[in-house]
Amino acid sequence: MIRPVPYVDLPGIIYALDRRARMRQRALANFVCWLEPVEHRTSWPPLLRNIFPLDPVARTWLCEDRWRILGFAQVRERPSGTMWELTYLASMLQSAFSGEDVLSALLDYVLEMAAAHGVLRVFARVEETLPEMELFARSGFQRYTREFTYVYGLEEEEEEEKKRENKADSLQEVEGAPSTRTRQPSPGLILSPAPAARLQELTALQRWSRHHVWGLHQLYRAVTPQRVQMAELLENSDEYARLLVGSQRSGLLPPGRRCETYVCDMGVRLGAWLQLRRGRGTRPHQLSLMVHPEYADLAEPLVRFACHRLLESDRRPIYCQVREYEGAVINALRASGFLPKTTRVLLVRHMAYLAVRQRVVPALEQRVIYGVKGLGTASSRQTMR
């Protein structure tokens, strides 16, 4: 049986428990889709998130049999309201049912719910090497690009993860609650000071403001290939800004210094866009960067600047997700010491939107017959169907 659940943090909790179990040479669930590197970007405390469903744009469905969880799926609504993103899809291990059957049933149910809610597109991120890719192909998903995840301090992150998971005694600590233990800087995460000349190249760097919305959309169009634009089909610049940058009022961004957004305003256009998200608890930092093809030389100085801003107060791993066609950003990440971690395929499923409004269409319209001697003018009877 598949049913909706209002407990929107359930997938994140199970994902955290699964990571802890894998460190002990076992697994709790088979995750096909999940959020990386953090489960949530809201600033609410874990206790409040676990009690109240504070994320109205998330929908979670649970597959169960006799009160035993077999799997679950979660989607998040994009700002336009007509697109969903499949953020979690997993089947529990050690169950009496096949994991492939559970995943297939959940995926079909998600698509059915999407059609019922008038959703036009469903997006998903799946690792390229997973055998479950065939499930998405059978369900009508199409591949339109790839996304790489680069990590700065990958070896140190794995060592810290092992120590942290072995000492974790409560679910709250696993979920990323602030720890009372002081986090010591790792020697491998110390970034050598960048030359002053390289940072002087960023004279056009300024804080994000509302009047950069149109320029950000133009930057996206200059960087993104046409096939990707057609797959994502963002309606206007406001929608793209809400999707990429978020909104303080909607709670998508943590307040204060935990999130910083910059742009390089070159006068006629935006040369680059940069966003920094500081981690807390067990969560890493996150770096997002987009550079105009005509200003590719800005990529490496921006990565250096971002690393110094993130590591100056708290030294921990830095995640950066970049798409395969953003060559300048990939080269800058590699030159700055980032290492590849995962490769995901971005998929889209176009939904057929059926018209359900009943209409009465006349089979024969009123007409006038001319040129027939003896009949004159006559009108036919109108019939309805």
Side-chain angles (χ1 to χ4, degrees):
M1 180 183 71
I2 300 178
R3 62 178 178 87
V5 291
Y7 198 45
V8 297
D9 278 343
L10 177 64
I13 293 175
I14 298 181
Y15 178 63
L17 291 175
D18 181 71
R19 291 182 61 187
R20 180 180 179 183
R22 289 179 187 275
M23 298 303 298
R24 299 179 179 179
Q25 306 300 323
R26 53 181 179 165
L28 179 66
N30 175 29
F31 280 83
V32 179
C33 299
W34 69 92
L35 289 181
E36 190 180 29
V38 293
E39 288 80 13
H40 295 278
R41 293 179 176 176
T42 57
S43 58
W44 300 97
L47 180 60
L48 293 179
R49 293 204 317 267
N50 294 341
I51 295 177
F52 303 104
L54 297 174
D55 195 349
V57 298
R59 300 175 184 269
T60 307
W61 295 279
L62 196 66
C63 180
E64 63 181 8
D65 177 61
R66 299 177 183 179
W67 303 102
R68 294 187 60 181
I69 299 178
L70 302 179
F72 54 88
Q74 184 182 88
V75 297
R76 290 180 184 268
E77 184 179 293
R78 290 196 172 184
S80 64
T82 60
M83 302 181 188
W84 282 358
E85 184 172 357
L86 187 61
T87 53
Y88 282 101
L89 179 65
S91 61
M92 307 301 292
L93 300 178
Q94 300 178 355
S95 64
F97 296 87
S98 170
E100 182 178 354
D101 295 338
V102 173
L103 293 174
S104 180
L106 282 169
L107 192 57
D108 292 342
Y109 190 83
V110 169
L111 296 178
E112 181 181 349
M113 289 296 101
H117 287 82
V119 175
L120 303 181
R121 285 172 177 81
V122 179
F123 297 91
R125 289 180 170 88
V126 185
E127 278 197 20
E128 194 173 24
T129 58
L130 289 181
E132 286 79 9
M133 280 286 297
E134 186 179 352
L135 294 177
F136 289 86
R138 292 200 300 260
S139 298
F141 281 83
Q142 300 176 3
R143 165 181 172 171
Y144 63 94
T145 189
R146 291 189 301 171
E147 183 180 72
F148 306 129
T149 299
Y150 282 84
V151 184
Y152 185 80
L154 185 59
E155 296 83 358
E156 290 77 9
E157 182 202 16
E158 294 176 353
E159 294 178 2
E160 289 291 329
E161 187 72 21
K162 291 181 181 179
K163 295 178 182 179
R164 185 167 55 248
E165 296 294 344
N166 290 335
K167 295 181 180 180
D169 297 324
S170 65
L171 177 60
Q172 184 176 1
E173 182 178 354
V174 174
E175 267 297 287
S179 176
T180 57
R181 184 176 68 254
T182 304
R183 189 185 183 100
Q184 298 295 333
S186 174
L189 288 176
I190 298 178
L191 190 67
S192 59
R198 302 299 298 274
L199 295 181
Q200 289 178 358
E201 300 176 14
L202 305 179
T203 55
L205 190 65
Q206 56 184 270
R207 290 277 188 167
W208 162 268
S209 63
R210 187 65 185 173
H211 68 272
H212 292 130
V213 170
W214 184 85
L216 179 62
H217 190 237
Q218 299 306 309
L219 176 61
Y220 163 80
R221 296 182 60 183
V223 173
T224 309
Q226 189 67 26
R227 70 177 189 280
V228 180
Q229 296 185 38
M230 293 299 296
E232 296 179 332
L233 200 62
L234 300 173
E235 296 179 357
N236 49 52
S237 56
D238 288 334
E239 179 186 349
Y240 182 68
R242 292 197 306 269
L243 178 64
L244 192 63
V245 182
S247 171
Q248 293 282 1
R249 297 181 61 184
S250 62
L252 295 178
L253 298 184
R257 297 179 62 254
R258 294 200 175 275
C259 184
E260 299 177 6
T261 306
Y262 300 89
V263 293
C264 283
D265 194 346
M266 312 307 293
V268 295
R269 64 175 63 90
L270 293 184
W273 171 86
L274 174 67
Q275 187 174 86
L276 312 177
R277 296 177 183 270
R278 289 179 169 83
R280 62 176 179 177
T282 60
R283 301 175 185 175
H285 298 309
Q286 188 172 0
L287 163 65
S288 301
L289 177 62
M290 184 166 48
V291 179
H292 196 283
E294 296 183 6
Y295 303 96
D297 55 343
L298 291 174
E300 188 171 348
L302 284 172
V303 171
R304 297 280 179 174
F305 168 78
C307 291
H308 279 280
R309 290 288 296 174
L310 292 173
L311 298 179
E312 62 183 358
S313 59
D314 189 5
R315 303 189 181 276
R316 62 180 67 215
I318 304 175
Y319 275 62
C320 182
Q321 294 175 330
V322 57
R323 295 184 175 183
E324 62 181 350
Y325 49 82
E326 299 178 289
V329 179
I330 294 176
N331 294 334
L333 293 174
R334 291 175 177 175
S336 302
F338 283 76
L339 298 177
K341 184 178 181 181
T342 58
T343 301
R344 294 190 180 184
V345 178
L346 302 189
L347 307 172
V348 60
R349 171 63 153 83
H350 299 269
M351 307 298 299
Y353 185 60
L354 301 179
V356 296
R357 181 180 176 183
Q358 295 183 357
R359 295 182 178 180
V360 179
V361 182
L364 297 175
E365 298 180 354
Q366 291 187 353
R367 63 183 184 272
V368 179
I369 303 176
Y370 297 99
V372 181
K373 186 177 180 180
L375 295 179
T377 302
S379 60
S380 65
R381 186 181 61 181
Q382 183 180 11
T383 60
M384 313 295 285
R385 71 171 182 179

